[in-house]
Amino acid sequence: MIAILAGAGVSLLVALFGTPLFIRFLVHRNYGQFVRQDGPTAHFTKRGTPTMGGVVIIGATLVGVAVSMAVAGRPPSASALLCLYLMTGLGVVGFLDDFTKIRKQRSLGLTARAKIVGQGFVGISFAVLALQFPNDNARTPASTRISFLRDTNLDLAFAGVTVGLILFVVWANFLITAWSNAVNLTDGLDGLATGVSLVVFGAYVLVCIWQLNQSCQRLGAAGPRCYEVRDPQDLAIVAAAIVGACFGFLWWNASPAKIFMGDTGSLALGGALAGISILSRTEILAALIGGLFVIIVMSDVIQIGFFKMTGRRVFKMAPLHHHFELSGWGEVTIVIRFWLIAGLFAALGMGVFYAEWVVT
């Protein structure tokens, strides 16, 4: 528990005091945000606000995890390294996207093909590596079984090892793409994606601590409903470090934002969420804990699909938070209410997770 708290505390301090330094660097370089022309007119005033703040979130998380491992007196596990690799790798793709926007003075960054190639390389390599590195108890970081609250009986390797690996890579990359895009779509108002991420990863800290206490690898005390997660403590450390980083960054990202996380941060946080859900064997539960992210994605899907079918729009603008913005809600009002909804989803997810263990 001390290592978990150390990771959260250090990453918070690094983000809290490192963000203003990074802001000054970006301002000096004139690295500012470009705003989409078809967005709410109120956003035009945000043009030029420093972006790529995700660099701070990633850096603070890495420092927090490193200090936490030093406190624990051991190197990070394969699960921790894989999750950080996924987070950092997608963050690099997002950074290139943000930097392209700044260099070319436009609101569009990398081409769709370049973005897909970058995300695909990181996602595929993560998925392949996640099925390697068995520990002394023959457990790998991930499994080929689709998981809800734990691994289910639906095994992607039912048709053979090779086919199972391919299906797992497809499934893992679907989750990685879905969550990275979900956080990216949510990052449209000051502090919205940062605050929701803080809540979601905070819930995962508690989930992973519970998995640690009820781990099947504690052979002397393992119960019939223990968890087969390889490294729950290290996943809790990573999640706690991300919470600390988001908390420190939110101080400067809250309305009116002094800096935006950009695609650097949104892709990194989405990747980290996908990674933790896969490695903690809670892939479907993540859709409940991160329910607000799902709602925002679905609002975009509904808007596009309905418009293509009928030529009309369901919402004034998608994603959903822009609909309320154009309906006259204040930005701060939307953000706070969405934070509350995110908290309800996180609480519901943790309740379902705990209830399953109690009932069975």
Side-chain angles (χ1 to χ4, degrees), residues 204-224:
Y204 261 108
V205 173
L206 299 179
V207 167
C208 293
I209 289 176
W210 184 260
Q211 290 177 333
L212 172 65
N213 292 334
Q214 306 297 330
S215 174
C216 294
Q217 297 178 86
R218 295 186 171 186
L219 300 179

Side-chain angles (χ1 to χ4, degrees), residues 287-306:
L288 188 55
I289 292 177
L292 181 67
F293 288 137
V294 176
I295 288 176
I296 288 177
V297 169
M298 291 308 300
S299 72
D300 211 47
V301 172
I302 291 170
Q303 181 85 325
I304 294 172
F306 194 79

Side-chain angles (χ1 to χ4, degrees), residues 210-242:
W210 184 260
Q211 290 177 333
L212 172 65
N213 292 334
Q214 306 297 330
S215 174
C216 294
Q217 297 178 86
R218 295 186 171 186
L219 300 179
R225 299 298 292 169
C226 59
Y227 297 95
E228 294 286 353
V229 181
R230 184 189 191 276
D231 306 297
Q233 183 179 23
D234 282 12
L235 292 178
I237 288 173
V238 172
I242 295 174

